[in-house]
Amino acid sequence: MTEIIGRRIVRPGDKYAIAVSRFNELVTESLLRGARNAFSQHGVSDADMTVVWVPGAFELPLVAHTLANKRIFAAVVTLGAVIRGATSHFDYVCSSVASGVAQASRESGVPIVFGVLTTDTIEQAIERSGTKAGNIGWDAACNAIELADVYSTLGSL
Ligand code: INI
């Protein structure tokens, strides 16, 4: 029989960490709410969620890496909002966060989900943080649950 790996099942007692940046807090607060709601609705208790605030998205990779290396979280979610301004700062922050999160995940072997909005405008960010284009925080938490299940199953093959 074919073994299918990759469902969305929360194992009782699994803990999840969320690293969220304060920059553009209007947006990131909503992303955090979406992520927490998704975890709750999949059966993760408040006590099994750890939330760490950092100043900006640039700080997310190191905190995510540190959380992952604690070996107590089934997965880590990063949440942030990088919104294009008049300078090239946006590009540096975006590329650093994206590659930093990917590297942290590879180095730790723990799934770290990229829930960082990178948009041209504040309107686009608001649309993706709980209004007409969904909530990327919710999506990130669902992805974390799915990946935690995948890696746990792969580990026991
Ligand atoms: N941080 C963000 O999370 N979003 C942004 O849009 C942003 N912009 O545009 O500057 C931003 N900058 C701060 C950066 O993430 C660091 O916190 C800061 O450079 C200190 O290291």
Side-chain angles (χ1 to χ4, degrees):
M1 200 170 79
T2 305
E3 183 175 16
I4 306 291
I5 298 170
R7 296 150 300 164
R8 198 181 282 167
I9 295 170
V10 173
R11 279 155 299 138
D14 265 2
K15 299 184 191 316
Y16 290 90
I18 306 170
V20 54
S21 54
R22 195 172 301 108
F23 206 104
N24 295 316
E25 192 172 1
L26 173 79
V27 173
T28 62
E29 279 269 10
S30 299
L31 297 179
L32 178 60
R33 193 176 322 115
R36 294 195 63 137
N37 285 343
F39 280 132
S40 294
Q41 291 188 26
H42 283 85
V44 180
S45 71
D46 281 355
D48 286 332
M49 296 177 216
T50 297
V51 176
V52 181
W53 283 95
V54 299
F58 185 82
E59 282 71 45
L60 288 171
L62 182 57
V63 169
H65 190 260
T66 305
L67 288 164
N69 278 334
K70 296 280 175 205
R71 306 276 153 208
I72 53 178
F73 300 109
V76 178
V77 170
T78 59
L79 300 176
V82 192
I83 302 173
R84 191 181 289 280
T87 70
S88 56
H89 193 72
F90 169 91
D91 301 296
Y92 291 111
V93 174
C94 286
S95 67
S96 165
V97 181
S99 59
V101 167
Q103 189 183 353
S105 196
R106 278 195 303 271
E107 283 178 6
S108 64
V110 174
I112 303 178
V113 178
F114 188 67
V116 179
L117 286 169
T118 57
T119 64
D120 288 331
T121 65
I122 182 78
E123 288 78 14
Q124 290 170 343
I126 290 169
E127 280 174 11
R128 289 159 178 76
S129 55
T131 59
K132 64 183 180 185
N135 188 322
I136 199 182
W138 170 285
D139 298 342
C142 292
N143 291 339
I145 291 167
E146 184 172 339
L147 286 168
D149 183 49
V150 167
Y151 281 90
S152 147
T153 308
L154 289 179
S156 57
L157 283 184

